[in-house]
Amino acid sequence: MSSPVQMSEARRHQQLRAHLSYLKLNDAAEALNRVLDQSRTERMSLTAALERLLEIEVEATEARKRAARERFACLPEPWTLADFDSAAQPGVDEKLIRDLATLRFLDDASNVLFVGPPGVSKTTLSVALGRAAVDAGHRVYFTTAADLAAKCHKAALEGRWKTCMRFFAGPKLLIIDELGYLPLPEDGASALLQVINQRYLKSSTILTTNVGIADWAGAFGDATVAAAMLDRLLHRAAVADIDGPSYRLRSHRNQAEALRAGVNAHVS
């Protein structure tokens, strides 16, 4: 038969698990037995054991929040700034990239424009900065200019325009990729302007484009809309005009050269 003291301890243990579960501290409840065993083995103080139990819950909560931020961000690749090869892309201002990597531009709602031809790492850098912002606890969302315009157009047809604008205004960092690669629909440029206007001086936008700033009026077919867009984007902005070789074409050339060298060596 168990003694009254043992029964009391057993009840306390069950009540403690029940309290943790009631408070939705499920990871702490699951780890309770392990932490209690550890506290006895290592002769931990009550404070140390409690701190360890809550640390487990905090770490699990942070992991869930990070996973949720990553899902919401919709980043197309797992690129980080460590993946960027500055030696392969001499057209990038390394000092500017190091400054952007601090994420200070998010503090004053500044924007970033990556301008240059295809293949010069504009998307790589924008995704890497988005990943850094997610890691730092910020809400990030990635989209292409064409997808943004399509979502806005559909929202307008379905009577959800205000909801759509709130969605795009929400993230601390909005990344709009490939502006100028595909023609925008008739109302696309106007929708993009309204999204940028919603975010103006409130939160940051990274935009990648193959269209030089001086050519925006012609590219988007409306000089007034283009000027208004640039006015808001450039008010607080870092502009990286990348005029280097295509990273992808360079990779293809290297692979082709390696293949030719292998074939020649085999023939010899």
Side-chain angles (χ1 to χ4, degrees), residues 3 20 26 30 66 71 74 81 128 159 167-168 177 185 194 209 225 248 257:
S3 71
L20 291 171
N26 297 323
E30 185 177 341
R66 177 194 169 92
R71 287 194 301 271
C74 294
L81 288 167
F167 175 83
F168 284 116
D177 196 32
Q194 293 191 60
T209 179
V225 169
R248 285 188 289 271
E257 289 172 2

Side-chain angles (χ1 to χ4, degrees), residues 46-180:
L46 179 60
T47 302
L50 182 59
E51 190 276 333
R52 177 58 188 143
L53 191 65
L54 293 180
E55 180 185 38
I56 290 170
E57 184 67 37
V58 168
E59 288 174 351
T61 299
E62 284 303 309
R64 287 192 294 271
K65 287 182 177 180
R66 177 194 169 92
R69 290 196 304 271
E70 289 182 345
R71 287 194 301 271
F72 178 82
C74 294
L75 296 173
E77 298 288 347
W79 295 323
T80 68
L81 288 167
D83 297 321
F84 175 65
D85 185 0
S86 58
Q89 187 46 269
V92 173
D93 184 345
E94 286 190 66
K95 183 178 178 181
L96 173 60
I97 300 305
R98 284 196 300 271
D99 183 64
L100 293 175
T102 66
L103 301 179
R104 290 189 300 171
F105 70 96
L106 296 177
D107 295 335
D108 58 359
S110 293
N111 303 312
V112 181
L113 274 68
F114 289 116
V115 184
V120 295
S121 302
K122 302 186 301 297
T123 300
T124 299
L125 288 168
S126 68
V127 169
L129 288 171
R131 176 72 55 188
V134 168
D135 291 344
H138 299 297
R139 203 157 177 251
V140 177
Y141 186 73
F142 178 98
T143 182
T144 64
D147 282 346
L148 182 148
K151 284 184 172 69
C152 290
H153 180 72
K154 184 178 180 183
L157 292 177
E158 296 176 352
R160 298 183 294 102
W161 180 259
K162 290 184 178 180
T163 301
C164 183
M165 289 297 106
R166 283 197 298 270
F167 175 83
F168 284 116
K172 182 75 170 179
L173 174 61
L174 175 66
I175 302 172
I176 305 174
D177 196 32
E178 297 182 344
L179 179 64

